[in-house]
Amino acid sequence: MRRLTGVVGVALGLSLVLASCGGKSGGDSGSGDGAKSVTIAIAAEPLEYINPLNENGSPGIQVAMAMFAPLVTTDPNSGKLLNVMADSVTPDKTSQTWTIKLHPGNTFQNGQPLTAKDYVDSWNLTAQGSQAWKNNGFFSKIEGYEALNPETPEGATPKPTSVKALSGLKQVDDLTFTVKLKVPFSQFGLTLQYLGLAPLPEEIRKDPDAYKRKPIGNGPFKLAADWNAGDDIKLAKWDGYKGPLVPEASAITYRFIPNADTAYNEFLAGNLDFVDVPSTKVKTFKDDAPDKWVTSASSGANYLTIPAWDERYKNPKIRHAISMAIDRKAFADLVGLSVPAKALVSPDMDGYRADACKYCDFDVTKAKQLLAEAGGFSGPVNINYSTTSASGQVNAEAIGNMLRQNLGVEVKYTGKTGSEITELADKRKLDGLRFSGWGHDYPSIEDYLTPMFKSNGDANFAHYANPALDAVLAKGDAEPDPEKAIKLYQQAEDIALADMPLIPTFTKSNASLHSDKIEPRVSKFVGVSALWATFK
């Protein structure tokens, strides 16, 4: 489901675990025509393009889930891996070389046959650092990655290299390719359900920019009409999709409404079929929409992100002091449907430890002591918040008041759109703290650690690096025994918690509203989905 940055109080919205549902009485339909069409609200700024290989945010991934099909997925009924585009995924005895065979007969939505070459070429394209695509880091475990990603000054984009292909990727035949990893990685088969590995057809690979708003996927839905940035995204069912888990809907409209409260009100007005409940409505949604709600525990975690590039936060005691100055119970109560977090991973992951964090207890005396030992803090602490989040400023001020009252530091606030915050942080130009969130792409504790804490992780919000953590992650990756691997990943989590580039804050139960014509798919393995809703 991937990450949200610069935002707090917004539902992560993809990988959810059902907790309880509302009843089944009637009401208005979001689309009003009785057809099997669904209008889904996404409380975020409109997308600028659709390309799953260059997308790791929740809004873009939601759209990609409809238009692109992964190699494998988690079966919503059994929780086991289910082949989608893949016919088989087979590791060698060491889990270092993997053979992937594709189902025959699949095509892209332009009629081009889907082949092993499409995967190999698409992955090679993304792995080239000069492309600066967001999922580049996902390929860092494959042999030959460094040749496509030369050492580059911090914050700069790598220059094009003469090498254009990962040496570890080999096409065997039209439907088979192999992946040789730099070291054994027992979790690799799980990672193949990530949509950031989706293939692009040849015509897009030749000129990706020309197809930024004309995507050609291989999933159950295709663009129903021309799409311009800022427009709703209208999709129609594609009859050529031959994979499993075919949605019932014949048409999907994704409506981007940056203000979550506005999206909520649009649902109440009968203009939507599905919307996430914003944190401002957690106490009223059951009365606002009786029998049209479902609540769920999120497979996600939320953090306060420390900028590793800012020397003022370099001393870990300062980061520990900030963490211990936060009353997580009060903050979780303010956010709503939330509980305090003292770990970096989601509670539903194997290997989760409820009290993994040694510096997450609310202790004002200790927080002040740590700040004094660090020599205090120079200048004001700036807290960035998203102006497109209904509760962004309120939550920022709540954290700021705790830091001011409990540490005696000066605090200021800066409101920007979520995309502005992310862009500045990506360039290491953001001043101060920001909120971030994460939800796994595949059900493994490793997916909460590698992306955010590995030195070249593709969701390393803080731009944090620690060779010791990288080494422990590598040992966990290479460990074939799942229980032993978890122990190693927990060691990596302990290192990250001691360094604390991200401060865990809360985990959130989400709530969603749905029109009376649909019943969202619910699964304790993959959660709540309007995309795979059934119709009444």
Side-chain angles (χ1 to χ4, degrees), residues 29 35 40 103 105 132 138 176 246 273 284 304 338 397 454 523 525:
S29 166
I40 300 172
H103 275 302
F138 206 92
T176 309
V246 180
D273 290 305
T284 64
L304 191 63
S338 302
E397 290 176 351
K454 189 176 179 181
S523 163
F525 302 111

Side-chain angles (χ1 to χ4, degrees), residues 152-464:
T152 304
E154 190 169 332
T157 299
K159 294 181 179 179
T161 60
S162 59
V163 179
K164 303 296 182 184
L166 293 161
S167 59
L169 280 184
K170 302 292 183 185
Q171 181 181 351
V172 178
D173 57 40
D174 283 349
L175 296 176
T176 309
F177 65 104
T178 60
V179 185
K180 185 177 181 182
L181 307 176
K182 290 184 288 187
V183 296
F185 181 35
S186 60
Q187 309 287 304
F188 185 71
L190 287 172
T191 73
L192 298 178
Q193 58 193 301
Y194 178 43
L195 281 167
L197 305 178
L200 300 177
E202 184 177 10
E203 65 181 277
I204 289 184
R205 298 195 303 269
K206 288 180 177 178
D207 190 0
D209 286 343
Y211 287 87
K212 289 197 301 184
R213 301 188 182 96
K214 298 188 292 183
I216 300 170
N218 64 325
F221 292 91
K222 63 180 181 179
L223 277 182
D226 289 343
W227 171 64
N228 298 307
D231 292 349
D232 292 347
I233 297 176
K234 298 181 183 295
L235 306 179
K237 197 165 191 173
W238 178 51
D239 293 335
Y241 177 67
K242 298 178 182 179
L245 307 176
V246 180
E248 278 193 21
S250 58
I252 300 285
T253 297
Y254 288 102
R255 181 167 298 168
F256 291 82
I257 305 175
N259 186 290
D261 281 354
T262 301
Y264 182 84
N265 290 331
E266 282 289 293
F267 176 87
L268 296 181
N271 299 324
L272 300 168
D273 290 305
F274 190 85
V275 68
D276 288 323
V277 174
S279 58
T280 54
K281 305 296 183 181
V282 295
K283 293 180 173 62
T284 64
F285 70 89
K286 293 181 182 179
D287 293 327
D288 292 341
D291 307 322
K292 296 183 184 179
W293 54 266
V294 16
T295 60
S296 54
S298 171
S299 288
N302 294 272
Y303 317 97
L304 191 63
T305 302
I306 308 292
W309 59 87
D310 191 331
E311 289 293 321
R312 296 177 301 164
Y313 298 93
K314 187 174 183 179
N315 191 322
K317 289 185 177 181
I318 288 177
R319 303 192 289 273
H320 299 160
I322 291 173
S323 177
M324 298 190 79
I326 296 172
D327 184 343
R328 285 169 172 76
K329 176 64 167 62
F331 188 55
D333 289 344
L334 174 68
V335 172
L337 290 174
S338 302
V339 295
K342 297 183 180 180
L344 294 171
V345 303
S346 174
D348 62 331
M349 290 293 101
D350 287 341
Y352 166 78
R353 297 167 294 162
D355 293 308
C357 180
K358 297 179 180 179
Y359 302 101
C360 291
D361 291 327
F362 179 47
D363 189 331
V364 175
T365 301
K366 181 66 174 177
K368 288 181 176 178
Q369 177 187 334
L370 288 167
L371 186 63
E373 291 174 358
F377 187 81
S378 175
V381 175
N382 186 38
I383 301 178
N384 296 276
Y385 66 90
S386 172
T387 54
T388 52
S389 168
S391 56
Q393 183 173 353
V394 171
N395 292 327
E397 290 176 351
I399 293 291
N401 287 336
M402 292 177 191
L403 300 185
R404 182 172 53 250
Q405 294 167 11
N406 300 331
L407 291 178
V409 296
E410 182 184 352
V411 178
K412 68 176 184 178
Y413 310 95
T414 302
K416 297 180 181 295
T417 64
S419 60
E420 287 178 296
I421 292 172
T422 300
E423 183 177 357
L424 286 170
D426 286 347
K427 295 178 179 178
R428 297 167 175 81
K429 293 182 179 180
L430 186 71
D431 172 27
L433 313 180
R434 62 170 171 156
F435 297 105
S436 60
W438 180 262
H440 65 258
D441 303 304
Y442 47 91
S444 171
I445 182 177
E446 181 270 338
D447 193 44
Y448 283 83
L449 298 171
T450 299
M452 291 188 289
F453 301 103
K454 189 176 179 181
S455 298
N456 63 348
D458 66 343
N460 193 327
F461 301 133
H463 297 280
Y464 159 79

Side-chain angles (χ1 to χ4, degrees), residues 487-530:
K487 293 294 184 184
L488 289 164
Y489 291 135
Q490 288 174 336
Q491 290 179 29
E493 183 186 11
D494 289 339
I495 295 172
L497 283 167
D499 288 345
M500 201 162 267
L502 302 184
I503 297 173
T505 52
F506 65 91
T507 57
K508 191 173 189 291
S509 293
N510 297 320
S512 303
L513 304 182
H514 62 89
S515 67
D516 70 316
K517 77 174 183 180
I518 64 169
E519 197 66 46
R521 186 184 73 182
V522 293
S523 163
K524 68 178 182 179
F525 302 111
V526 297
V528 177
S529 172

Side-chain angles (χ1 to χ4, degrees), residues 122-130 135-136 139 145 148-149 166:
S122 296
W123 291 12
N124 281 330
L125 185 64
T126 312
Q128 295 173 26
S130 57
N135 287 318
N136 167 279
F139 301 94
Y145 176 82
L148 280 69
N149 294 271
L166 293 161

Side-chain angles (χ1 to χ4, degrees), residues 13-74:
L14 293 179
S15 297
L16 309 173
V17 179
L18 179 67
S20 60
C21 326
K24 309 290 185 248
S25 73
D28 294 334
S29 166
S31 46
D33 58 8
K36 287 190 175 181
S37 60
V38 181
T39 301
I40 300 172
I42 297 180
E45 300 162 64
L47 296 179
E48 289 294 321
Y49 57 84
I50 300 173
N51 178 353
L53 292 164
N54 189 24
E55 180 58 75
N56 55 26
S58 179
I61 293 296
Q62 287 190 62
V63 176
M65 287 177 70
M67 301 189 70
F68 294 84
L71 285 163
V72 299
T73 193
T74 296

